[in-house]
Amino acid sequence: MDKVISQTKYNRKQHKEFYLFHLTRRSGTIKLLAAIVIVMLIIAIANTFDSGFKIKEDTSSMMFSWIMFAVSLSFTPILIISRVNNVVKQETPERLKSTEKIEVTKMKFTRSNDCIGGKSVFGWTDIQMICETAKYFYVYLQEDNGIFIVKEDIIEGDVELFKKMAMANLKKNKKGRPLYKRYGKVRREYRALMKLEEQNKKLGK
């Protein structure tokens, strides 16, 4: 039976990377803050230039607008860093020494942790989205809740087998595609591969 098993010792850096990914790529709060920054930039530009792109004489409103833009721009990274650090601070001494094991088959995910004890089991249909990066598979069970698999910590099976099972078993979106997204280097490589395959089809290879 096809099976993928990962075994990961708790690593604070890996958890920070997960929280950072979530806040910058998946969190609605950050998207809202980004929208506010854009709005503040538009207001600042509108208060700086007139319709002829000449600088307005009213420098007080112009300066105030740019200050507000700078504040909103700086607030976003501060919020991200503080939220990530607050989550990490909640770690217990036991968790710092724990090892998590995740077993994946075509039927289910089984997650166990030698610190917590017991097991949690969920099926592919319980997964809202899988996000792949160069180092991780982020498995989202809810919009703001999930687990991650460290690629280099897979001790049975391999990365390609996991992706094959994901493509076959994940729920599909309205276009009939699996709920699976690629980010960063993985996304670029996938697009390059798809482009190459398309070119080969046109050449009849």
Side-chain angles (χ1 to χ4, degrees):
M1 180 176 66
D2 289 341
K3 181 187 298 184
V4 172
I5 298 176
S6 70
Q7 191 164 294
T8 302
K9 184 174 177 57
Y10 184 85
N11 184 301
R12 178 174 292 178
K13 180 181 177 181
Q14 292 173 349
H15 281 259
K16 280 189 173 183
E17 289 175 346
F18 176 43
Y19 302 138
L20 184 62
F21 173 87
H22 174 72
L23 287 173
T24 56
R25 301 299 183 96
R26 301 281 297 171
S27 174
T29 302
I30 299 303
K31 293 177 182 178
L32 176 61
L33 288 174
I36 292 173
V37 170
I38 293 172
V39 170
M40 295 306 301
L41 175 60
I42 293 172
I43 293 173
I45 293 173
N47 287 336
T48 302
F49 301 100
D50 59 22
S51 57
F53 292 100
K54 293 182 180 180
I55 297 177
K56 293 181 177 181
E57 295 181 0
D58 184 5
T59 57
S60 59
S61 61
M62 177 181 67
M63 291 299 296
F64 178 76
S65 298
W66 283 108
I67 289 172
M68 292 304 296
F69 166 69
V71 170
S72 62
L73 183 64
S74 61
F75 181 72
T76 302
I78 292 173
L79 176 65
I80 292 173
I81 293 171
S82 63
R83 288 187 65 176
V84 169
N85 287 335
N86 285 337
V87 172
V88 173
K89 285 179 182 178
Q90 297 175 12
E91 298 166 340
T92 62
E94 292 80 10
R95 190 180 183 189
L96 293 173
K97 300 176 182 178
S98 68
T99 299
E100 182 168 274
K101 181 180 179 181
I102 300 174
E103 181 178 315
V104 184
T105 67
K106 65 179 182 179
M107 299 297 295
K108 61 184 179 180
F109 283 65
T110 303
R111 179 189 183 196
S112 59
N113 188 296
D114 59 6
C115 167
I116 301 173
K119 295 181 179 180
S120 61
V121 180
F122 57 90
W124 288 95
T125 55
D126 297 317
I127 297 173
Q128 185 183 88
M129 176 71 69
I130 289 182
C131 302
E132 181 188 1
T133 69
K135 295 167 61 177
Y136 307 103
F137 291 110
Y138 295 127
V139 182
Y140 279 89
L141 300 175
Q142 297 175 3
E143 188 65 32
D144 59 352
N145 180 33
I147 63 173
F148 63 88
I149 295 174
V150 183
K151 290 181 176 180
E152 66 178 16
D153 288 345
I154 293 176
I155 59 175
E156 184 175 333
D158 54 33
V159 168
E160 293 305 317
L161 177 57
F162 180 86
K163 288 194 281 189
K164 179 182 176 182
M165 287 195 291
M167 294 299 106
N169 297 294
L170 277 173
K171 290 185 294 187
K172 307 295 190 295
N173 61 19
K174 293 180 180 179
K175 295 182 179 180
R177 298 173 181 171
L179 296 173
Y180 189 101
K181 287 187 177 181
R182 300 167 180 84
Y183 292 85
K185 180 182 178 182
V186 174
R187 184 179 183 182
R188 292 191 296 271
E189 290 176 346
Y190 178 76
R191 286 185 169 182
L193 179 60
M194 293 299 99
K195 186 176 181 180
L196 180 60
E197 288 184 358
E198 186 177 342
Q199 290 174 346
N200 289 337
K201 285 181 181 179
K202 290 180 180 180
L203 293 173
K205 293 184 179 180

